């Protein structure tokens, strides 16, 4: 199946935003950055996330419904322990009655993947090496040339931490690319961690061991894998990822405030915070026979 329609759609959005910002910001390079192209990527993210916002709200509502019906789910599991067919039928009826959809949690992420992959493909071909057709996916030769030379703090947006060959021809250096890409990769990892942490602190750790393992994977595993994948991502794609994470942080803050978790989940979240606070006090507590630091200071003053 050809994915050209995705590449054409992503290119069209990117080019329209670039044309708009080209009218607003200076066309000259400022701080080693072609801001019209960088802002075009940022507003590509904002466009996609605004279009997907209604689905995100449905996702949160479905998650709340799933949390609220957990006691009923456990009752059904206990009642139909040896009858999988009846259990499945009763579970589907429960989901329908309570308007809960277990698959809704993955839908916004699944719909964002084609956009991410489309931008990755489009930016990877922005290399003026004669091997790529500059007029593919609705681009003009001039737009291709401008985009392939576009930079963020002196590093080409099509450049990668792990592939710096040929960047001199674009007016940059391998060290410049590695510094800019390295900082962005760290930002990508940090914002990914913060996004998952924000959700877990609000809703609490799951009591189900399997779900808790998935939460830990989301919190620690995914940010770590970005250290590897970020090595191969073009700088423009990392800009996209960091922007979408920042958008997610603001979006989750608003939605979690408007649609708070059920009381049971909120208590779990508060319990997690209390455990963390208790652990911190235990670590900071003085050892037997050792006076606290503040007590020593009072004695010195006397």
């Amino acid at each position: 199946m050809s994915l050209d329609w995705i590449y054409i759609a992503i290119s069209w959005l990117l080019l329209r935003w670039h044309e708009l910002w080209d009218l607003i910001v200076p066309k000259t390079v400022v701080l080693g950055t072609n801001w019209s192209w960088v802002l075009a990527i940022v507003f590509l993210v904002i466009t996609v996330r605004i279009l997907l916002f209604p689905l995100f709200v449905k996702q949160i509502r479905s998650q709340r419904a799933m949390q609220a019906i957990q006691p009923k789910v456990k009752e059904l599991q206990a009642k139909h322990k040896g009858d999988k067919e009846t259990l499945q039928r009763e579970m589907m009826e429960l989901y329908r009655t309570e308007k809960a959809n277990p698959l809704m949690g993955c839908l916004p992420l699944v719909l964002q993947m084609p956009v991410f992959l489309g931008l990755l493909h489009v930016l990877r071909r922005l290399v003026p090496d004669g091997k790529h057709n500059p007029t593919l996916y609705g681009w003009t030769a001039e737009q291709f040339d401008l985009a392939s030379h576009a930079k963020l703090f002196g590093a080409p947006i099509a450049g990668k931490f792990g592939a710096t060959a040929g960047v001199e021809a674009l007016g940059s250096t391998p060290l410049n690319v590695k510094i800019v890409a390295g900082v962005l990769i760290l930002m990508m990892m940090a914002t990914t961690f913060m996004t998952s942490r924000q959700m877990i602190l609000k809703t609490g750790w799951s009591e189900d061991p399997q779900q808790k393992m998935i939460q830990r994977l989301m919190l620690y595993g995914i940010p770590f894998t970005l250290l590897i994948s970020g090595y191969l991502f073009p700088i423009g794609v990392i800009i996209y990822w960091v922007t979408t994470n920042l958008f997610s942080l603001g979006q989750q803050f608003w939605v979690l405030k408007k649609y708070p978790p059920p009381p049971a989940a909120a208590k779990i979240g508060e319990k997690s915070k209390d455990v963390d606070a208790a652990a911190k006090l235990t670590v900071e507590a003085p050892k037997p026979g050792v006076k606290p630091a503040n007590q020593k200071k009072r004695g010195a003053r006397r």
Side-chain angles (χ1 to χ4, degrees), residues 5 7 16 19 23 25 34-35 41 54 66 81 84 87 114 116 144 148-149 168 172 226-227 229 242 247 251 263 289:
W5 67 274
Y7 307 145
R16 297 298 79 77
E19 289 172 0
L23 297 172
V25 300
N34 300 91
W35 291 105
I41 296 173
M66 289 293 295
K81 191 173 182 180
K84 291 184 178 180
L87 175 62
F116 173 78
F144 181 89
S148 61
H149 288 80
E168 292 89 349
S172 186
L226 294 177
L227 185 64
S229 54
V242 172
F247 192 98
Q251 182 176 258

Side-chain angles (χ1 to χ4, degrees), residues 72-143:
K72 295 181 180 180
V73 169
K74 290 180 180 179
E75 287 179 11
L76 288 175
Q77 289 173 340
K79 183 178 179 181
H80 305 290
K81 191 173 182 180
D83 190 351
K84 291 184 178 180
E85 185 177 343
T86 303
L87 175 62
Q88 186 176 9
R89 187 172 62 252
E90 292 288 333
M91 291 280 284
M92 293 301 294
E93 180 62 24
L94 178 63
Y95 291 150
R96 187 188 65 79
T97 305
E98 300 293 338
K99 297 181 180 179
N101 187 349
L103 302 178
M104 182 57 72
C106 302
L107 188 57
L109 180 62
V110 170
L111 293 177
Q112 286 182 73
M113 285 306 296
V115 180
F116 173 78
L117 295 174
L119 182 65
L120 176 62
H121 176 80
V122 168
L123 292 179
R124 284 178 63 183
R125 60 179 290 275
L126 290 179
V127 182
D129 54 5
K131 297 179 181 179
H132 300 91
N133 179 6
T135 59
L136 201 61
Y137 310 135
W139 291 67
T140 66
E142 182 183 7
Q143 288 169 335

Side-chain angles (χ1 to χ4, degrees), residues 159-176:
K160 308 171 190 174
F161 187 96
T164 56
V167 295
E168 292 89 349
L170 299 175
S172 186
T173 64
L175 179 60
N176 194 171

Side-chain angles (χ1 to χ4, degrees), residues 2 18 25 33 36 40 62 65 69 114 132 135 225 231 255-256 275 293 296:
S2 175
H18 169 257
V25 300
T33 303
S36 58
S62 181
I69 65 173
H132 300 91
T135 59
T225 61
Y231 182 85
V255 172
L256 289 171
V275 170
K296 287 182 180 178

Side-chain angles (χ1 to χ4, degrees), residues 36-66:
S36 58
W37 285 106
V38 173
L39 289 170
I41 296 173
V42 169
F43 277 79
L44 170 66
V45 174
I46 293 173
T47 303
V48 173
R49 295 306 298 267
I50 288 175
L51 291 174
L52 293 178
F53 184 75
L55 282 178
F56 182 79
V57 173
K58 288 184 179 180
Q59 174 194 17
I60 293 296
R61 286 177 175 172
S62 181
Q63 287 176 346
R64 296 292 175 267
M66 289 293 295

Side-chain angles (χ1 to χ4, degrees), residues 249-301:
L249 283 169
Q251 182 176 258
Q252 285 181 179
F253 177 81
W254 182 84
V255 172
L256 289 171
K257 189 174 182 180
K258 188 173 179 62
Y259 303 100
K267 286 180 181 178
I268 294 172
E270 291 299 322
K271 187 178 179 181
S272 299
K273 291 181 183 178
D274 292 342
V275 170
D276 291 342
K280 186 177 179 182
L281 288 173
T282 302
V283 171
E284 294 179 352
K287 296 179 181 178
V290 179
K291 291 183 178 181
N294 57 353
Q295 189 172 339
K296 287 182 180 178
K297 288 181 181 177
R298 290 196 198 102
R301 289 174 183 172

